[in-house]
Amino acid sequence: MKKTNTHDLVLAALCAALTAVVAPFSIAIGPISLTLSVFAVLFTGAMLRPGWAFAAQVVYIAIGAIGLPVFSGFKSGPQVLLGATGGYLVAYPLMALVLSLVCQHFKGFLPRLAGVILAVAVCYTFGTAWFMFMSGNDLATSLAWCVTPFVIPDLIKGVCALLLAKALESRLNKAAA
């Protein structure tokens, strides 16, 4: 299927909207909440070309920063981005970009799963470093609170995002034919 700018723009807008819809619903696990935002970010990376994937997540962050309650727990504003968990949000465009680049170059499931792992590692790296800086906690404590409880759920979200993206891509290709 030949992709047009309109097609990319619509998909990017839908991915930003998906993130905005699922991210506010959360379950607090210590200082970090379990949300479906990681699923939406990974789905964005699996569905869109790199620049569009990055842009979709920048749009999500921007609408939250200007005051729409789209962050975890229906929060919004720049104070969320500057808070202890803001590093995770700021990593979302990079996560989507990393996975999109991998998906653009590799069609097999295992390389794409490796892309999910790399994208999640980017999120954990940026988010945990920022959390440590803002909270004053050491690395071990920060990893115990911010990474360990989320590894398995985030990998499951990544697998689901890859499978859904593959199914939708197949249907979009058939519809365009």
Side-chain angles (χ1 to χ4, degrees):
M1 169 172 90
K2 182 177 183 278
K3 295 182 179 179
T4 65
N5 281 339
T6 303
H7 177 267
D8 290 329
L9 180 62
V10 169
L11 282 180
L14 288 171
C15 287
L18 173 66
T19 310
V21 167
V22 301
F25 300 98
S26 61
I27 300 169
I29 300 178
I32 307 293
S33 294
L34 180 64
T35 73
L36 288 176
S37 58
V38 170
F39 164 79
V41 173
L42 294 171
F43 176 75
T44 299
M47 279 298 291
L48 301 175
R49 291 189 284 172
W52 289 102
F54 185 88
Q57 292 307 310
V58 169
V59 167
Y60 162 70
I61 291 169
I63 63 176
I66 63 170
L68 291 171
V70 297
F71 297 142
S72 175
F74 294 91
K75 294 177 186 160
S76 65
Q79 69 277 7
V80 176
L81 296 172
L82 298 173
T85 60
Y88 296 100
L89 289 167
V90 171
Y92 285 1
L94 295 174
M95 287 176 67
L97 176 66
V98 164
L99 183 55
S100 181
L101 288 167
V102 170
C103 288
Q104 190 173 47
H105 289 41
F106 300 99
K107 299 302 175 199
F109 182 78
L110 289 179
R112 288 180 174 201
L113 182 58
V116 164
I117 293 168
L118 183 59
V120 170
V122 166
C123 183
Y124 292 164
T125 300
F126 276 81
T128 305
W130 183 254
F131 181 83
M132 288 172 54
F133 175 74
M134 294 302 292
S135 69
N137 288 308
D138 63 12
L139 180 61
T141 301
S142 297
L143 290 174
W145 284 353
C146 304
V147 174
T148 305
F150 301 96
V151 172
I152 299 300
D154 287 345
L155 291 178
I156 292 169
K157 292 175 210 175
V159 168
C160 292
L162 290 176
L163 294 174
L164 180 60
K166 181 177 179 165
L168 285 176
E169 182 113 61
S170 171
R171 284 174 176 76
L172 287 173
N173 287 337
K174 285 181 186 177

